[in-house]
Structures are given as C-alpha cells and as structure tokens.
Amino acid sequence: MPPPSNPGNRGPAAAAGNRQAILAAARRLFAEQGFQVPLSAIGRAAGVSQGVLYRHFRGRLDLAIAVFEDNLHELESLAAGGADFATLWTRLVGMVIDSGAFVEMVVAERDELPDSASVPRLRAVLAAPLARAQEDGSVPGHLSQPDLELSLAMLNGALVSAPPDSDPRTVAARALGLISPSLVPGE
C-alpha cells in the first residue's frame, strides 16, 4: 500500500525512517537540481513537514555531513566484509559522482565545518585493500593514499566543470584514466 500523501505526525517511533527519507530525498534532489534546492522541496519529497526536517538537520550543510557519514559507514561495512580495492574504489567513485552537489556545498562552507575524522576513516578503509592490490599488481605501487585523495579531488573538479549534457560516469572514467588506468572503476 502506498504511503499516505500527507502522513501527518507519526511520532518519535518514525524518527529513524524520517531521517532516512530526508537523506534519500536530499541525495536525489541535490543531484538533480544542485545544492541550492529549497529545503522545503526536500521535506515534501521525503513526506515530512519542515519541522521534522529541521529537527533532524539544521540546514544543507548538516545534510551534506550526514550523507558523507552514511557513505563512510557503507565503505567501512564493505571493507569489514572483505571487499577488495576495486570494489571499494568503484563504490567510492560512484559516491563522488552521486554526491557532487554535496561536495560542492561542503567546499563552499569548509570554514564552517567542524573537525572531521572522515579522512582518517577513509584512509583506514582503503589501506589494507590498496596494499593487497599493489602486491598483486592491479594497482601501481607508486600510488599512495594521498594520491588517491588527490585523484578524488581532481575527479570532483572534472565532474563539476564538465558540460551539463556530459555523462558523469564517462567523465569519471576519462579523468581517472588520465591519472592511472588502474583507477578507472569497474561496472
């Protein structure tokens, strides 16, 4: 049965579902319309009131931070499950492609950001799989963690500056291929 068009107040028990609905709507609308999309549109798309949205997130930047946190948690779960470097890298590149508006927003607001443990967490996720990929020769030994981080920043730059009608996955493959063919994500 489809959810009611105006779900009303579902109470505290709905908090986790509301948060996930808000994040899903924000991911979709930011990807479609950029980071200036009205928060009221995100609330409507999530099926929650403005009050519920603001109970979970003070604004766009909080939404972006929550998306990055969810992304890191997903990568950590994949790594804990034994994912190899190619799997982790492919998912990470997909996240950069899908979260371009969030990256743009965070870059614009970086002076307002609290100190984050995201870079050390990402390094921890990639460290062992990268070492194994370098040992088996699927990734060149000279590519370091900072090189991967710079590659992601360069990828984001290529994506945000690409013509609007460009396919982001094609842009990503071309940009990463210029750095190292081993960084071109799989399907």
Side-chain angles (χ1 to χ4, degrees):
M1 171 190 284
S5 59
N6 184 3
N9 185 348
R10 296 174 286 188
N18 287 343
R19 184 179 190 284
Q20 289 309 311
I22 293 165
L23 285 172
R27 284 176 191 267
R28 189 180 82 253
L29 292 177
F30 281 135
E32 292 170 0
Q33 301 175 29
F35 74 87
Q36 292 299 331
V37 66
L39 292 178
S40 59
I42 293 170
R44 277 192 305 278
V48 301
S49 69
Q50 285 288 107
V52 169
L53 187 144
Y54 283 109
R55 244 189 314 274
H56 290 279
F57 305 101
R58 292 177 304 205
R60 286 178 183 80
L61 189 57
D62 284 352
L63 277 166
I65 291 168
V67 166
F68 291 142
E69 179 63 31
D70 282 358
N71 288 351
L72 272 170
H73 181 72
E74 180 184 338
L75 291 169
E76 288 167 337
S77 294
L78 285 169
D84 63 5
F85 177 78
T87 300
L88 290 167
W89 183 254
T90 296
R91 185 63 192 117
L92 182 55
V93 168
M95 289 172 174
V96 171
I97 292 168
D98 296 339
S99 301
F102 290 105
V103 174
E104 187 178 353
M105 182 188 335
V106 168
V107 168
E109 299 292 331
R110 69 178 150 237
D111 293 340
E112 304 301 317
L113 287 175
D115 287 336
S116 171
S118 61
V119 171
R121 284 174 62 195
L122 181 59
R123 287 178 182 156
V125 164
L126 294 177
L130 175 61
R132 286 191 300 273
Q134 289 173 325
E135 286 172 13
D136 71 22
S138 59
V139 173
H142 70 275
L143 284 178
S144 66
Q145 287 265 0
D147 294 336
L148 295 178
E149 293 162 23
L150 181 57
S151 298
L152 292 172
M154 292 166 64
L155 170 60
N156 185 65
L159 290 167
V160 299
S161 63
D165 61 342
S166 298
D167 173 50
R169 301 215 181 269
T170 302
V171 171
R174 288 189 64 216
L176 292 171
L178 291 171
I179 298 167
S180 173
S182 64
L183 295 181
V184 176
E187 293 305 314

PDB file of all heavy atoms in Angstrom, residues 153-167:
ATOM      1  N   ALA A 153      39.716  14.431  -5.557  1.00  0.00           N
ATOM      2  CA  ALA A 153      39.503  15.876  -5.680  1.00  0.00           C
ATOM      3  C   ALA A 153      39.529  16.296  -7.149  1.00  0.00           C
ATOM      4  O   ALA A 153      38.707  17.111  -7.592  1.00  0.00           O
ATOM      5  CB  ALA A 153      40.569  16.637  -4.884  1.00  0.00           C
ATOM      6  N   MET A 154      40.463  15.736  -7.911  1.00  0.00           N
ATOM      7  CA  MET A 154      40.545  16.048  -9.337  1.00  0.00           C
ATOM      8  C   MET A 154      39.297  15.531 -10.067  1.00  0.00           C
ATOM      9  O   MET A 154      38.771  16.208 -10.952  1.00  0.00           O
ATOM     10  CB  MET A 154      41.814  15.440  -9.924  1.00  0.00           C
ATOM     11  CG  MET A 154      43.079  16.099  -9.390  1.00  0.00           C
ATOM     12  SD  MET A 154      44.607  15.180  -9.715  1.00  0.00           S
ATOM     13  CE  MET A 154      44.687  15.225 -11.488  1.00  0.00           C
ATOM     14  N   LEU A 155      38.828  14.361  -9.667  1.00  0.00           N
ATOM     15  CA  LEU A 155      37.610  13.816 -10.252  1.00  0.00           C
ATOM     16  C   LEU A 155      36.430  14.749  -9.996  1.00  0.00           C
ATOM     17  O   LEU A 155      35.668  15.055 -10.917  1.00  0.00           O
ATOM     18  CB  LEU A 155      37.315  12.431  -9.677  1.00  0.00           C
ATOM     19  CG  LEU A 155      35.953  11.834 -10.027  1.00  0.00           C
ATOM     20  CD1 LEU A 155      35.787  11.684 -11.529  1.00  0.00           C
ATOM     21  CD2 LEU A 155      35.761  10.508  -9.311  1.00  0.00           C
ATOM     22  N   ASN A 156      36.308  15.218  -8.780  1.00  0.00           N
ATOM     23  CA  ASN A 156      35.214  16.141  -8.474  1.00  0.00           C
ATOM     24  C   ASN A 156      35.318  17.406  -9.325  1.00  0.00           C
ATOM     25  O   ASN A 156      34.319  17.883  -9.854  1.00  0.00           O
ATOM     26  CB  ASN A 156      35.196  16.494  -6.989  1.00  0.00           C
ATOM     27  CG  ASN A 156      33.995  17.333  -6.658  1.00  0.00           C
ATOM     28  OD1 ASN A 156      32.859  16.890  -6.763  1.00  0.00           O
ATOM     29  ND2 ASN A 156      34.228  18.578  -6.282  1.00  0.00           N
ATOM     30  N   GLY A 157      36.526  17.923  -9.494  1.00  0.00           N
ATOM     31  CA  GLY A 157      36.717  19.100 -10.344  1.00  0.00           C
ATOM     32  C   GLY A 157      36.309  18.832 -11.782  1.00  0.00           C
ATOM     33  O   GLY A 157      35.667  19.669 -12.425  1.00  0.00           O
ATOM     34  N   ALA A 158      36.662  17.660 -12.287  1.00  0.00           N
ATOM     35  CA  ALA A 158      36.281  17.303 -13.661  1.00  0.00           C
ATOM     36  C   ALA A 158      34.763  17.192 -13.781  1.00  0.00           C
ATOM     37  O   ALA A 158      34.173  17.632 -14.775  1.00  0.00           O
ATOM     38  CB  ALA A 158      36.943  15.986 -14.068  1.00  0.00           C
ATOM     39  N   LEU A 159      34.128  16.635 -12.770  1.00  0.00           N
ATOM     40  CA  LEU A 159      32.670  16.456 -12.823  1.00  0.00           C
ATOM     41  C   LEU A 159      31.921  17.791 -12.764  1.00  0.00           C
ATOM     42  O   LEU A 159      30.985  18.005 -13.526  1.00  0.00           O
ATOM     43  CB  LEU A 159      32.206  15.535 -11.687  1.00  0.00           C
ATOM     44  CG  LEU A 159      32.613  14.073 -11.826  1.00  0.00           C
ATOM     45  CD1 LEU A 159      32.396  13.333 -10.507  1.00  0.00           C
ATOM     46  CD2 LEU A 159      31.846  13.401 -12.959  1.00  0.00           C
ATOM     47  N   VAL A 160      32.337  18.683 -11.866  1.00  0.00           N
ATOM     48  CA  VAL A 160      31.605  19.945 -11.730  1.00  0.00           C
ATOM     49  C   VAL A 160      31.875  20.896 -12.886  1.00  0.00           C
ATOM     50  O   VAL A 160      31.062  21.783 -13.154  1.00  0.00           O
ATOM     51  CB  VAL A 160      31.853  20.651 -10.373  1.00  0.00           C
ATOM     52  CG1 VAL A 160      31.403  19.788  -9.223  1.00  0.00           C
ATOM     53  CG2 VAL A 160      33.286  21.092 -10.210  1.00  0.00           C
ATOM     54  N   SER A 161      32.991  20.701 -13.593  1.00  0.00           N
ATOM     55  CA  SER A 161      33.289  21.600 -14.710  1.00  0.00           C
ATOM     56  C   SER A 161      32.923  20.995 -16.071  1.00  0.00           C
ATOM     57  O   SER A 161      33.088  21.657 -17.094  1.00  0.00           O
ATOM     58  CB  SER A 161      34.768  21.988 -14.690  1.00  0.00           C
ATOM     59  OG  SER A 161      35.578  20.848 -14.883  1.00  0.00           O
ATOM     60  N   ALA A 162      32.427  19.774 -16.092  1.00  0.00           N
ATOM     61  CA  ALA A 162      32.053  19.127 -17.356  1.00  0.00           C
ATOM     62  C   ALA A 162      30.803  19.783 -17.924  1.00  0.00           C
ATOM     63  O   ALA A 162      29.974  20.322 -17.182  1.00  0.00           O
ATOM     64  CB  ALA A 162      31.798  17.636 -17.126  1.00  0.00           C
ATOM     65  N   PRO A 163      30.641  19.767 -19.245  1.00  0.00           N
ATOM     66  CA  PRO A 163      29.408  20.310 -19.842  1.00  0.00           C
ATOM     67  C   PRO A 163      28.176  19.622 -19.255  1.00  0.00           C
ATOM     68  O   PRO A 163      28.223  18.429 -18.923  1.00  0.00           O
ATOM     69  CB  PRO A 163      29.563  19.975 -21.333  1.00  0.00           C
ATOM     70  CG  PRO A 163      31.036  19.816 -21.538  1.00  0.00           C
ATOM     71  CD  PRO A 163      31.579  19.263 -20.256  1.00  0.00           C
ATOM     72  N   PRO A 164      27.080  20.363 -19.116  1.00  0.00           N
ATOM     73  CA  PRO A 164      25.884  19.818 -18.464  1.00  0.00           C
ATOM     74  C   PRO A 164      25.334  18.541 -19.113  1.00  0.00           C
ATOM     75  O   PRO A 164      24.737  17.718 -18.430  1.00  0.00           O
ATOM     76  CB  PRO A 164      24.854  20.944 -18.568  1.00  0.00           C
ATOM     77  CG  PRO A 164      25.622  22.161 -18.883  1.00  0.00           C
ATOM     78  CD  PRO A 164      26.899  21.741 -19.530  1.00  0.00           C
ATOM     79  N   ASP A 165      25.538  18.366 -20.396  1.00  0.00           N
ATOM     80  CA  ASP A 165      24.991  17.185 -21.064  1.00  0.00           C
ATOM     81  C   ASP A 165      25.947  15.993 -21.020  1.00  0.00           C
ATOM     82  O   ASP A 165      25.674  14.946 -21.608  1.00  0.00           O
ATOM     83  CB  ASP A 165      24.616  17.513 -22.501  1.00  0.00           C
ATOM     84  CG  ASP A 165      25.805  17.978 -23.341  1.00  0.00           C
ATOM     85  OD1 ASP A 165      26.833  18.372 -22.755  1.00  0.00           O
ATOM     86  OD2 ASP A 165      25.697  17.946 -24.578  1.00  0.00           O
ATOM     87  N   SER A 166      27.060  16.117 -20.301  1.00  0.00           N
ATOM     88  CA  SER A 166      28.038  15.032 -20.209  1.00  0.00           C
ATOM     89  C   SER A 166      27.519  13.911 -19.316  1.00  0.00           C
ATOM     90  O   SER A 166      26.842  14.159 -18.318  1.00  0.00           O
ATOM     91  CB  SER A 166      29.348  15.536 -19.598  1.00  0.00           C
ATOM     92  OG  SER A 166      29.911  16.524 -20.402  1.00  0.00           O
ATOM     93  N   ASP A 167      27.885  12.690 -19.672  1.00  0.00           N
ATOM     94  CA  ASP A 167      27.584  11.554 -18.808  1.00  0.00           C
ATOM     95  C   ASP A 167      28.639  11.522 -17.706  1.00  0.00           C
ATOM     96  O   ASP A 167      29.834  11.387 -17.996  1.00  0.00           O
ATOM     97  CB  ASP A 167      27.615  10.246 -19.617  1.00  0.00           C
ATOM     98  CG  ASP A 167      27.485   9.034 -18.733  1.00  0.00           C
ATOM     99  OD1 ASP A 167      26.550   8.995 -17.899  1.00  0.00           O
ATOM    100  OD2 ASP A 167      28.330   8.126 -18.853  1.00  0.00           O
TER     101      ASP A 167
END
